[in-house]
Amino acid sequence: MDIVGFLKSQFICHLLICYIFIVSGLIINFIQLFTLILWPINKQLFRRINCRLAYCISSQMVMLLEWWSGTDCTLYTDPESYHKYGKENAIVILNHNFEIDFLCGWNFCERFGVLGSSKVLAKKELSYMPIIGWMWYFLEIVFCKRKWEEDRKTVVQKLLNLRDYPENFWFLIHCEGTRFTEQKHQISMQVAKAKGLPKLKYHLLPRTKGFAVTVQCLRNVVSAVYDSTLNFRNNENPTLLGVLNGKKYHADLYVRQVIQDVPEDEQECSTWLHKLYQEKDAFQEEYYRTGTYPAVPIIPPRRPWTLLNWLFWALLLLYPLFKLLINMINSGSSLTLASFAFVIIIASVGVRWMIGVTEINKGSTYGNNDNKQKRK
């Protein structure tokens, strides 16, 4: 291991990165709170400012993938569609198989300049999470409780609010609703058998209602619907902890435009989405067999802004931290040093908890709970 790789694997570096992310994130959340006064005066200015504030947070995560880890991202797509990316509103359908697939989705957004304005359909609990959850609140992210009878009215209203959004945005949606695990896959295929639907080998059954409503509400706003399928070469199993350790991965993302085929009727849209996931399964099978996708490979250039943003916050926040540490050491007080050690321990636990949120074996029990409720 070279010296740079060794340093990237050290916990003290991870702690400093997380310190910068947490403190800068809370500062930005605090600034976002004050932007609320703009909403009744100039809603579009509020939105533009919050897009840029949100970028200051989310780009730090992308920086870890692009610059710290050095992960390669190859895009397989139609060259004609490629030139339109980032220049129009779009719905992007993502598969949900890996711990860092959300990060690769953000990387895709960053390469085409829509990271700050990107939207998702997220579970309500995330809105209470400091930094990213609060950032999403100010970005008008669509939150749901995953109980469609309760969610429908709220989701429709939130989506309709995006019709006059002043920035180009991508609406990222994981139609499976939860990350793939073998247990959830078995349960999902039992449901497929009971409903007479074709079985999927590499995906869970898509949740069609949320997607259908999203398409209905944003049909006159978005110019494209993109289907994307993510994989990693050489059977890599990427994790956020691996990215934090500076481990380099090799991501392949297949993106195709499918807007002209999406029907308006909810039942027809449901049938269309199930067919789409059968096609995604076939692409996945082909990738495992050949190691490639049926499209032209393109490597979108990295933009410097994620790195520059992180360096700005690092310079701003590390100086007072080191100055405080030096003063504490010079004081010679056992109580002061013990207090600092206690803070380090708490921070370590917090860092591990944040990483644990992304781990597959600690992920959502959404698919499992649905099945339990149906058995009652």
Side-chain angles (χ1 to χ4, degrees), residues 96 146 174-179 204-207 277 364 366-367:
H96 210 3
R146 289 176 168 175
H174 294 284
C175 293
E176 295 159 277
T178 185
R179 190 178 284 126
L204 307 179
L205 281 180
R207 308 274 171 161
Y277 267 75
S364 167
Y366 178 41

Side-chain angles (χ1 to χ4, degrees), residues 122-129 133 143-146:
K123 58 185 179 181
K124 180 68 174 178
E125 293 82 356
L126 291 176
S127 66
Y128 306 116
M129 181 181 289
F143 292 106
C144 60
K145 299 177 182 177
R146 289 176 168 175

Side-chain angles (χ1 to χ4, degrees), residues 101-167:
D101 48 20
F102 78 97
L103 198 50
C104 292
W106 279 5
N107 177 259
F108 183 34
C109 292
E110 160 56 24
R111 296 292 172 101
F112 297 99
V114 291
L115 177 60
S117 58
S118 63
K119 314 295 179 189
V120 296
L121 184 63
K123 58 185 179 181
K124 180 68 174 178
E125 293 82 356
L126 291 176
S127 66
Y128 306 116
M129 181 181 289
I131 304 176
I132 291 180
W134 295 351
M135 170 193 80
W136 277 351
Y137 172 82
F138 291 99
L139 272 183
E140 301 170 72
I141 292 300
V142 181
F143 292 106
C144 60
K145 299 177 182 177
R146 289 176 168 175
K147 295 179 180 178
W148 190 242
E149 296 75 17
E150 300 178 22
D151 284 331
R152 186 181 184 97
K153 184 177 180 180
T154 302
V155 169
V156 167
Q157 185 58 55
K158 292 288 186 181
L159 289 169
L160 292 177
N161 287 342
L162 297 178
R163 286 188 167 187
D164 64 342
Y165 209 78
E167 302 272 335

